[in-house]
Amino acid sequence: MKILVPVKRVVDYNVKVRVKADGTGVDLANVKMSMNPFDEIAIEEAVRLKEAGIATEVVAVSCGVAACQETLRTAMAIGADRGILVETDVDLQPLAVAKLLKALCEKEQPQLVICGKQAIDDDANQTGQMLAAMQNWPQATFASKVVIANGKAAVTREIDGGLETLEISLPAVVSTDLRLNEPRYATLPNIMKAKKKPLDTVKPADLGVDVAPRLSTLKVAEPAKRGAGIRVADVAELVNKLKNEAKVI
């Protein structure tokens, strides 16, 4: 069984994001970049399935600028067998990425696509669902447990009311939640081995996909700063302030 895992290069989750002075976007100059945390979980799950003898090959895919090769090398250091970079300087949106992944699925013929439920930069939570729709494949989102057996996947997913378990037939798309697993650290020997693993580069045109943006960003702004809290003497004063100052009741 072949597993395809899309990985995205994003601003590291420990970095404080800063908006450009002209409000056109996020300042990425000299900013530490890393793999999207949800995609790390997806790679870890795919590697565990391979280690359990269920999967035979794990292919990591990234769409974006040439620097995304670093993200793919990280995925291969965790355990992916090879990488594919769809290189483009265009600002990719979820629909474009889903179309690229669809073209790669047709080429690679994976039995399972495991992706992060969302990226921490745009928080779109759309690509996996769009891919499943375009491929007409079953999908299970927000997975906290995945069991593969007899050509089917039993996926426990997190919903507002608790947990829901779905059984879907393969091929399918599964998106990962935080509690699915804890990604391993890439060891130095594996990092060195990853440098020798195959990494193919293709262009969107090679896949016959138009990645022109359909949406335009009008303005990016930082959230308004929160005011300092105050202490109240009793419940009566709290109610009075909520009613007459905050005007929320």
Side-chain angles (χ1 to χ4, degrees):
M1 183 175 76
K2 182 188 292 186
I3 302 178
L4 192 74
V5 185
V7 295
K8 187 176 184 181
R9 180 175 180 263
V10 299
V11 176
D12 189 88
Y13 67 92
N14 287 313
V15 173
K16 177 175 172 54
V17 176
R18 301 186 183 280
V19 176
K20 292 180 180 178
D22 58 4
T24 58
V26 173
D27 187 4
L28 300 179
N30 301 315
V31 172
K32 181 183 178 183
M33 308 291 284
S34 62
M35 187 190 302
N36 178 49
F38 290 104
D39 298 342
E40 280 189 273
I41 294 170
I43 281 286
E44 174 67 26
E45 190 65 19
V47 172
R48 290 187 185 186
L49 288 172
K50 184 186 175 187
E51 290 172 344
I54 297 171
T56 55
E57 185 181 25
V58 177
V59 182
V61 178
S62 191
C63 306
V65 296
C68 291
Q69 291 186 33
E70 301 171 10
T71 308
L72 287 170
R73 293 294 179 193
T74 301
M76 288 187 279
I78 293 173
D81 297 293
R82 58 188 175 94
I84 301 174
L85 171 62
V86 183
E87 186 177 352
T88 176
D89 293 328
V90 176
D91 184 20
L92 294 174
Q93 294 173 351
L95 179 59
V97 176
K99 288 180 178 179
L100 292 171
L101 294 176
K102 178 181 184 296
L104 287 173
C105 284
E106 292 171 352
K107 180 181 178 182
E108 294 288 333
Q109 295 294 310
Q111 283 70 54
L112 182 63
V113 175
I114 305 179
C115 57
K117 70 172 185 178
Q118 65 195 76
I120 61 171
D121 53 0
D122 57 15
D123 277 332
N125 182 21
Q126 295 175 348
T127 304
Q129 292 90 324
M130 287 177 171
L131 173 61
M134 284 191 273
Q135 286 289 88
N136 196 27
W137 285 359
Q139 62 175 305
T141 56
F142 315 139
S144 60
K145 183 179 180 181
V146 178
V147 178
I148 309 291
N150 302 319
K152 296 183 181 295
V155 181
T156 302
R157 56 188 303 267
E158 302 194 355
I159 59 175
D160 291 340
L163 298 176
E164 176 184 61
T165 300
L166 302 176
E167 185 178 75
I168 55 178
S169 57
L170 301 180
V173 177
V174 174
S175 70
T176 63
D177 212 334
L178 282 173
R179 277 160 287 279
L180 179 59
N181 61 52
E182 184 174 343
R184 71 193 71 185
Y185 287 102
T187 62
L188 183 57
N190 287 338
I191 292 173
M192 300 306 292
K193 290 177 184 176
K195 294 181 179 181
K196 297 181 180 180
K197 290 183 178 180
L199 195 162
D200 298 325
T201 301
V202 297
K203 301 286 186 181
D206 300 333
L207 300 173
V209 178
D210 176 17
V211 294
R214 264 57 174 182
L215 306 173
S216 59
T217 302
L218 301 181
K219 184 180 179 182
V220 177
E222 291 189 13
K225 292 184 179 179
R226 297 177 61 180
I230 59 172
R231 289 192 176 189
V232 294
D234 50 34
V235 174
E237 185 182 354
L238 172 62
V239 172
N240 178 60
K241 288 186 177 294
L242 290 174
K243 185 176 182 180
N244 299 315
E245 293 184 17
K247 300 186 184 301
V248 294
I249 60 173

